């Protein structure tokens, strides 16, 4: 647009197609290969998403390429290389802000991607490998839950054919997230989950309050995993066996869910969150 600026939006679909398919194949296999390609790839992605013209062009590319864009942002936030993970969080935040400003595309975007993005952010927040990103995790989750709670997501996030008539997105998402947490962390009580999920949707919480809410939840997860080994009664033999069985069941269950099993399961303290 205009004499001074170059409007790249017409070129974006072609750039995307050429670049994405081959670059993603290069970098998505693991988190180590081609470090310099990764940074350039995500920098380019960030400039496309933050530029209003180019951002609009994202919606003129085929559905499966849009999914590649979102998948690569989700992949970035799971990165163990901190600068890539941080860049991924920033890109996701810009993406969500731009989507919210673009009503003609927003509903399709939310329908296709909102639930998986929530799951991806919950995954990195609870996997203990990404503590440095906690403030952005909180910012993203608050944005995602509030956009649903405030009624900005009008397209159904569920399949109306298989969901009870009269279900709202707000209700569906509470159930969906509650089930996800109970399946992923079977040690949590129903009450803890209900209380935590209720807070996620509480639009009166500002970011500091929301962060405290998340932090309390992470602390309770840690306590329930019982990784201090010092609990009384743990040396009772039956109790010991019962615990082992529970852990095996939990691992099997979390593997079955996929997406929430942390590859390293490293305990560390959460004091610096």
């Amino acid at each position: 647009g205009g004499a001074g600026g170059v409007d790249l939006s017409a070129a974006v679909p072609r750039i995307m197609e050429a670049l994405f398919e081959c670059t993603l194949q290069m970098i998505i296999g693991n988190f180590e290969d081609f470090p310099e390609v990764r940074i350039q790839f995500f920098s380019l992605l960030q400039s496309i998403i933050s530029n209003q013209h180019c951002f609009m062009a994202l919606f003129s590319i085929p559905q499966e390429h849009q999914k590649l864009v979102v998948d690569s942002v989700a992949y970035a936030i799971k990165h163990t290389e901190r600068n890539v993970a941080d860049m991924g969080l920033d890109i996701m935040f810009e993406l969500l802000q731009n989507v919210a400003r673009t009503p003609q595309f927003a509903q399709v975007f939310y329908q296709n991607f909102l639930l998986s993005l929530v799951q991806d952010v919950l995954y990195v927040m609870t996997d203990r490998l990404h503590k440095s990103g906690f403030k952005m995790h909180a910012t993203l989750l608050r944005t995602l839950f509030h956009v649903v709670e405030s009624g900005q997501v009008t397209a159904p996030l569920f399949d109306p054919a298989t969901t009870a008539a009269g279900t709202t997105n707000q209700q569906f998402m509470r159930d969906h997230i509650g089930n996800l947490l109970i399946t992923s962390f079977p040690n949590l009580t129903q009450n803890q989950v209900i209380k935590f999920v209720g807070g996620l949707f509480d639009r009166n919480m500002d970011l500091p309050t929301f962060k405290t809410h998340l932090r309390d939840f992470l602390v309770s997860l840690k306590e329930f995993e019982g990784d201090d080994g010092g609990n009384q009664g743990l040396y009772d033999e039956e109790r010991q066996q019962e615990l082992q069985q529970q852990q095996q069941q939990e691992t099997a269950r979390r593997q079955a869910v996929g997406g929430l099993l942390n590859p390293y399961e490293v305990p560390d303290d959460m004091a610096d969150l």
Side-chain angles (χ1 to χ4, degrees):
V6 181
D7 181 1
L8 280 174
S9 55
V12 166
R14 290 197 296 280
I15 294 173
M16 290 305 220
E17 220 156 327
L19 171 95
F20 262 85
E21 304 242 342
C22 63
T23 314
L24 272 179
Q25 292 313 312
M26 284 170 71
I27 66 175
I28 217 150
N30 60 41
F31 287 130
E32 285 81 42
D33 296 345
F34 311 110
E36 61 298 325
V37 175
R38 280 165 205 271
I39 296 292
Q40 288 167 349
F41 174 75
F42 291 116
S43 300
L44 177 67
L45 189 58
Q46 187 161 26
S47 53
I48 288 173
I49 283 172
S50 57
N51 174 303
Q52 199 61 44
H53 279 303
C54 296
F55 173 77
M56 301 290 272
L58 274 184
F59 290 91
S60 64
I61 62 178
Q63 191 76 52
E64 63 271 19
H65 291 150
Q66 278 179 39
K67 187 175 169 0
L68 281 180
V69 173
V70 179
D71 285 350
S72 53
V73 178
Y75 172 77
I77 73 167
K78 293 177 181 171
H79 220 285
T80 39
E81 181 70 46
R82 182 174 169 172
N83 53 356
V84 176
D86 288 349
M87 200 187 276
L89 293 168
D90 290 340
I91 295 172
M92 192 182 288
F93 190 50
E94 283 188 66
L95 179 62
L96 291 173
Q97 286 178 307
N98 266 335
V99 166
R101 285 195 284 263
T102 320
Q104 65 272 41
F105 304 131
Q107 298 310 317
V108 174
F109 180 90
Y110 293 141
Q111 253 185 326
N112 289 333
F113 305 118
L114 188 137
L115 292 177
S116 64
L117 288 177
V118 169
Q119 188 166 336
D120 289 329
V121 180
L122 282 171
Y123 171 83
V124 290
M125 184 183 81
T126 53
D127 76 356
R128 301 177 178 184
L129 298 175
H130 295 90
K131 288 177 5 182
S132 63
F134 177 69
K135 185 180 178 196
M136 275 306 286
H137 299 158
T139 305
L140 289 164
L141 287 174
R142 185 168 171 271
T143 304
L144 288 161
F145 283 107
H146 287 195
V147 80
V148 173
E149 186 62 13
S150 62
Q152 290 171 57
V153 182
T154 52
L157 293 172
F158 47 86
D159 175 2
T162 56
T163 313
T167 302
T168 62
N169 280 334
Q170 288 88 335
Q171 189 49 54
F172 170 78
M173 187 143 163
R174 278 174 171 76
D175 295 345
H176 176 81
I177 297 300
N179 290 334
L180 182 70
L181 292 169
I182 280 176
T183 324
S184 310
F185 306 108
N187 296 331
L188 293 173
T189 67
Q190 189 88 29
N191 268 352
Q192 282 177 303
V193 171
I194 289 169
K195 184 173 171 240
F196 176 58
V197 172
L200 292 174
F201 287 90
D202 183 350
R203 291 173 62 208
N204 295 321
M205 281 196 195
D206 58 9
L207 186 60
T209 316
F210 191 82
K211 277 173 64 179
T212 302
H213 181 65
L214 295 179
R215 201 179 286 119
D216 291 347
F217 174 71
L218 291 171
V219 168
S220 72
L221 274 189
K222 193 167 167 49
E223 284 169 0
F224 273 76
E225 282 168 12
D227 50 14
D228 57 11
N231 290 350
Q232 64 285 26
L234 276 188
Y235 298 103
D236 177 316
E237 210 172 287
E238 288 167 5
R239 176 93 183 96
Q240 200 59 44
Q241 281 175 333
E242 191 184 310
L243 268 177
Q244 264 174 330
Q245 275 176 328
Q246 274 177 358
Q247 276 168 340
Q248 283 161 354
Q249 283 169 347
E250 178 185 356
T251 306
R253 228 181 318 198
R254 286 169 75 180
Q255 276 166 331
V257 176
L260 278 159
L261 187 67
N262 158 28
Y264 302 105
E265 289 292 354
V266 266
D268 58 26
D269 80 280
M270 316 208 58
D272 56 344
L273 281 187

